[in-house]
Structure formats: C-alpha cells, structure tokens
Amino acid sequence: MVGHCTLGRMNDWPQGWSGNNGGDRQGSGSASAQPEGARVMRQVQRGQGGAPRSSAPPHGVPPQQSYTDGHGDNGYDGYNTGQVYGGGGGPQGPGPDGRPGRPAPNWRKRIKWISITVVTLLVVVSVGTYFWADSKLNRDVDLSKVIDRPDAGEGTNYLIVGSDSREGMSAEEKKKLHTGSADGKRTDSMMILHVGDNGNTMISLPRDSNVTIPTFVGSESGKTFQGTGRQVKLNAAYAEDGPELLVRTVESNTGLRIDHYAEIGFAGFAKIVDSVGGVEIEIPKGGMKDTKSGADFEAGKQTLNGEQSLAFVRTRYALAGSDLDRTKNQQKFLSALANQTATPSTVLNPFKLYPTLSSGLDTLTVDKDMSLWDLGSMFLAMKGVTSGDGKSMNMPISGNTGNGNLQWDTAKVKQLVEQLKNDEKVTVTSDR
C-alpha cells in the first residue's frame, strides 16, 4: 500500500522530470543515463528528426524562456550575435561586450584646455625669466651725478662701452686672454647707439679721439673739479673717474645727451661668445697677427671662441688704420655675435639661453635707470644696425692733432648731433 502510494506520487511528476531520462526507460541508476547538465538543459537541445521535447519545470521553479528552431522575436538560431545581454548602445553604438559605448571625445574642449595650459606655462616662465635676469643686472652707474647735461632730444641714446676690466680674472685667465695685469680700468671700445623712429645709428668713438675734460663732480668724492681746457684721449676720461666722467666728457664734447649706459668687461665678453658656441667671422686677406692682443688668424671664414674673439676685437697694431680699423672690426664682430645670439637655436633652447644670459648679465654694468626692457631694445637695435638695417659709422675725423690724437670734424659732428637730436635720418658720413 505504501509502495503504491509512493509510486503514485512519483507518477504525478511531470513527464521528463522523473529519474527516467529516456521517457520509457526504467530506474534512475541506468548506465545510459544522461549527465545532469544534459537533463537540466534538455529544453535547449534540438531533436533529431523532430521538434524538441517539451518539458515543464518542477513545482516552485519559474518557467524558463523556451528556445525554438523558429525565427520568432526571441528565437535562437544557434549563432551568437554578440548581444547576449542586450542593451542599447551609446552615441557610438554598443561595445564588443554589448555595453553602451563611450561618448565621442570633445576635442574642441581638450584643445582649449591644452592651449590655456601652454599659454599659462609660457607666461609663468617668461615672467620668472624676466625677474631672474633683471635681478642679475649690475646697476652701478649713477647718471644723476653728471652735471651740466644737454637737453634731451628725440629717440634714445645709449653709450656702449667695452672695458679692459680684469676684475675677477685669475692670473691664468689674464695670461690666456693676453690682457696683461694693469691696474684700474680703461675703455677698449666706445659706441653711441641712437634708437629712433627714423632709423637707428651706431657711431664708434675711437679711443684715441682728442677731447677736452670739462668741469665735473667726482663720482666718489663728490668734489667739483674745474675744467682747465685739458685735452686728452677719450679713454683717459674713463680711467680718471669712471663711467660718470666718460658720459660727462662725451656730452660736453658732442652736445648729445646720453640716456643710458652699458659696459662689459673682457671676461664677460669671452664667456658670452663661448656660451653661444663661438662666432663665425671672415678674416680679411693676408690674415691677422698681433702679439699684444694674441691674434693669430689665417685669412678666410672661421669660427672664433671666446679667447680668439677677444683677440680679434682688440687688435689694432696689425691694422693699417690702427684704432679706426679696429672700430670697424668691432662693429663687424658685434654684427656676427648679435646674429648668432638671436637665432632660434639659442633663444628657444633653455640650455643655451640661460647660460648666455647669465654669462652676459653677470659682467654687464648699466646705469640705475636701465630696465631689462631698455637693455632688450638696445640689443635688438644693435642687431638691426650691424645687420644692415640702419647706419653704422665712425665719428667723422678731420685729421690728427699736435699731440697725435684723432681730431673730430667739428662741422660734421655738429650736423650729426642735430640729426640725432631731431631723430632725423642720418646723412652725415665719415671718411675713415
């Protein structure tokens, strides 16, 4: 009775859910019984020669979606479409796993922020460089100590001086650069640079120019020294009382007001040349040899290092025109140096730009009112003039004085100064 009841309950199970997987097979321990996975997934197996067997789930199990051989909306045809989980795609459609794709990048927004970042970085670097360079300027010249000054004219006038200062140089460096060991400082080159709206002009002042020392106030003592009409070479004014007396003497003998002063010594000059990798210069036919300056060059184009460059601009005894020819060589070299320094390979390369600025600014002496902007304007004007965009000349010379100094051509100098004061195009020429 009990067995009958039990068998009755088992027969109440839906077809296909008995231990008999074969339908008409008996028992659940048959060796031919199919694996559990096959029994559970029977509904997804295709029948051979007919439709798959329909089975109902056991009690308490939610009905499963059926898969048929048909092509209904939810049909399964035996091939994976890659969208097992479904789901709508994003703007770019679904990804490989069927999930929504990432939205397309907003390149306009990215470019905007990249541009802002780059501009900000450039501003920060530029401002930092400006204040760094400005702090390195030696503003030791006080032009307020210069008395009886001419009226200011149009444009800006710079007095640019190359001194033979040996300050900070070791005995070995002095020997290497052939500077000697003379005490004090003297000017080795002097130039007036006029920057204006009608063309820039650079005028070399030969160191042997004959000038009159005027009444002046000592830069250190503050004592007034009355002028006596004493005539000396121009570089003697600098040797006597430094930059302030040199400016006073130039202004007194020309009538032209000097707005700014800039000076660089031997060591600084050589360092600038070395920092830019040397300067290419054309040595004239016959070459150049001067034991006093150390110059020993064959004719032709060649690249000079700092030591050689200093010898080139200082040489005068090997030149037919002595100091006058030397001033021409100095202008020629400044042109080459300015063009070499202002190239993109120097300006845009921080590993070259900063050493160049540092070597130049460390040994550069300017007046107290000289800003870095004024210095930049002076440099660009020099570059332009020496490259042909402007006029370069010697101070007009009429001959020699009885003491052997070079005498300025008074009439031409007066006309030249008037043209500079009025910022007119310079028409005056020098014969030497």
Side-chain angles (χ1 to χ4, degrees):
M1 183 70 180
V2 174
H4 176 77
C5 291
T6 303
L7 181 60
R9 292 191 188 97
M10 293 177 64
N11 289 337
D12 287 340
W13 286 14
Q15 184 180 357
W17 286 93
S18 67
N20 176 356
N21 285 318
D24 55 353
R25 295 175 183 169
Q26 301 296 322
S28 60
S30 170
S32 63
Q34 297 182 12
E36 183 68 18
R39 295 201 302 272
V40 174
M41 297 300 291
R42 166 169 288 189
Q43 64 270 26
V44 302
Q45 295 179 347
R46 293 178 183 269
Q48 295 182 0
R53 299 175 184 178
S54 174
S55 302
H59 295 294
V61 179
Q64 302 294 312
Q65 179 180 351
S66 63
Y67 295 81
T68 69
D69 290 334
H71 298 285
D73 291 341
N74 294 318
Y76 172 73
D77 60 0
Y79 296 95
N80 189 350
T81 63
Q83 296 182 348
V84 175
Y85 299 99
Q92 290 184 329
D97 58 358
R99 297 179 182 178
R102 294 182 180 179
N106 189 335
W107 288 108
R108 181 177 297 179
K109 187 175 181 179
R110 289 188 181 185
I111 292 173
K112 173 185 175 183
W113 282 109
I114 290 174
S115 300
I116 291 175
T117 301
V118 171
V119 170
T120 302
L121 182 61
L122 288 175
V123 169
V124 171
V125 171
S126 298
V127 172
T129 300
Y130 180 90
F131 284 105
W132 168 79
D134 188 73
S135 67
K136 295 180 76 67
L137 280 178
N138 301 311
R139 295 184 173 91
D140 297 333
V141 179
D142 189 357
L143 296 184
S144 67
K145 296 179 180 180
V146 180
I147 63 173
D148 301 333
R149 309 194 67 185
D151 294 334
E154 300 293 328
T156 304
N157 299 313
Y158 298 86
L159 181 59
I160 304 169
V161 173
S163 76
D164 64 358
S165 172
R166 299 156 177 83
E167 186 176 353
M169 295 175 64
S170 65
E172 183 179 350
E173 288 175 324
K174 292 176 183 178
K175 181 179 180 180
K176 179 181 178 181
L177 298 177
H178 300 271
T179 64
S181 300
D183 294 330
K185 294 195 299 183
R186 284 171 292 279
T187 52
D188 217 54
S189 61
M190 292 162 282
M191 302 175 187
I192 293 175
L193 174 66
H194 174 80
V195 179
D197 295 331
N198 290 301
N200 303 324
T201 305
M202 179 180 287
I203 307 142
S204 290
L205 307 176
R207 56 181 281 177
D208 293 341
S209 298
N210 191 70
V211 293
T212 300
I213 298 294
T215 299
F216 69 97
V217 174
S219 59
E220 297 296 333
S221 65
K223 179 181 177 181
T224 299
F225 296 87
Q226 293 294 333
T228 61
R230 177 166 51 104
Q231 295 186 336
V232 296
K233 293 180 179 180
L234 181 58
N235 67 336
Y238 181 96
E240 188 170 331
D241 196 48
E244 287 84 358
L245 179 55
L246 177 61
V247 171
R248 169 75 177 120
T249 303
V250 170
E251 289 187 341
S252 175
N253 284 264
T254 63
L256 183 69
R257 185 184 180 97
I258 300 299
D259 300 296
H260 291 295
Y261 178 92
E263 173 191 328
I264 190 166
F266 282 164
F269 180 84
K271 287 179 181 178
I272 290 176
V273 174
D274 285 335
S275 67
V276 297
V279 175
E280 189 176 74
I281 201 76
E282 181 81 27
I283 303 298
K285 186 177 180 179
M288 182 184 296
K289 189 168 184 177
D290 184 356
T291 56
K292 291 193 175 182
S293 69
D296 188 4
F297 308 120
E298 299 291 336
K301 187 175 291 186
Q302 52 194 283
T303 299
L304 308 183
N305 60 24
E307 176 186 347
Q308 294 168 327
S309 298
L310 188 58
F312 177 80
V313 298
R314 294 182 61 221
T315 295
R316 62 170 175 163
Y317 295 105
L319 305 174
S322 188
D323 202 34
L324 289 175
D325 283 349
R326 179 169 71 164
T327 58
K328 294 176 182 178
N329 278 343
Q330 289 170 347
Q331 290 187 356
K332 177 181 178 181
F333 186 86
L334 283 177
S335 172
L337 176 60
N339 282 298
Q340 177 75 17
T341 306
T343 57
S345 63
T346 297
V347 176
L348 300 180
N349 183 355
F351 298 102
K352 208 170 182 182
L353 175 63
Y354 284 93
T356 301
L357 284 174
S358 181
S359 60
L361 296 174
D362 279 343
T363 56
L364 187 66
T365 301
V366 298
D367 65 270
K368 293 184 179 298
D369 295 326
M370 174 86 87
S371 68
L372 202 59
W373 181 266
D374 293 323
L375 186 62
S377 176
M378 180 192 82
F379 178 79
L380 290 176
M382 283 179 60
K383 180 180 182 298
V385 170
T386 54
S387 298
D389 185 18
K391 184 179 181 67
S392 60
M393 58 183 290
N394 277 330
M395 185 65 84
I397 303 294
S398 60
N400 294 85
T401 61
N403 57 10
N405 299 337
L406 296 173
Q407 180 63 51
W408 292 350
D409 187 319
T410 306
K412 283 190 174 183
V413 169
K414 183 177 180 180
Q415 182 184 2
L416 173 62
V417 169
E418 286 300 315
Q419 290 177 343
L420 295 177
K421 277 187 173 183
N422 297 324
D423 193 23
E424 299 172 352
K425 184 177 178 62
V426 173
T427 60
V428 178
T429 60
S430 56
D431 298 327
R432 303 190 187 188

